[in-house]
Amino acid sequence: MTTAPTHPLRARQLERLPVALERASAKIATVAHADDSSVLRLVKAARAARSATQRVIWMHRAASAWGAPMASLAACRPGCSACCHMPVTITKAEAEILSRATGRPMRGSLEVRSPEGADETRAALQSFREGPVGVPCPFLAAERCSAYEARPTACRVLWNLDDDPLLCQHAPTGPVDVPYADATAIRGLALSMEPDLVLGDIRDFFA
């Protein structure tokens, strides 16, 4: 039986992966004790906000503050749009903010869902890898985000902690693991701020 040859990009990614994981661990160690008081203040402001929209906006600020220490360490740079071609789970409230900020109408018929219980909510934290791969985000324009200031939490916390975007590239044989910063806690906090939680891929909300 003959084994099909590995795609060249996939081979390079598999070779890189152990090195990338070591790099990510070293980088995380440098920010493990970073001052998180600003994040906590923003989360507190989100909890005190009177409307769902205000809570989401404050949590967007908290997510950005959480990711700030990693910005200079990550492979992510302006013009790198690989993550804009992968699934990204957002909430209906975030979609409404995007719609108001950009003037782009939301789809009339939404293929979204409300999680049933804590288990489904936790699963949603990882679901950015479970939707359409290779399909550009509706807000991607000239390889840049056209709605950057209103971008959802999932986009604000997605940091590749390797030195370059090799592992982000889409090989025909499928994705490899990317050493993303672990944003489970901040994403969980963001979801907990929305009692009427409705989730979907960003492409579910916008054509």
Side-chain angles (χ1 to χ4, degrees), residues 71-147:
S72 63
L73 304 175
C76 312
R77 295 291 182 270
C80 175
S81 62
C83 60
C84 303
H85 292 77
M86 59 190 286
V88 55
T89 300
I90 69 172
T91 68
K92 184 178 180 181
E94 288 183 309
E96 291 169 346
I97 289 172
L98 278 166
S99 180
R100 284 194 294 270
T102 63
R104 187 164 185 165
M106 293 170 59
R107 293 175 60 177
S109 178
L110 302 179
E111 298 176 5
V112 298
R113 63 187 178 87
S114 299
E116 297 180 1
D119 289 341
E120 280 205 16
T121 301
R122 281 192 292 270
L125 296 176
Q126 304 299 329
S127 63
F128 68 88
R129 298 176 69 88
E130 298 174 1
V133 176
V135 180
C137 171
F139 296 98
L140 182 64
E143 303 307 313
R144 290 177 180 266
C145 178
S146 64

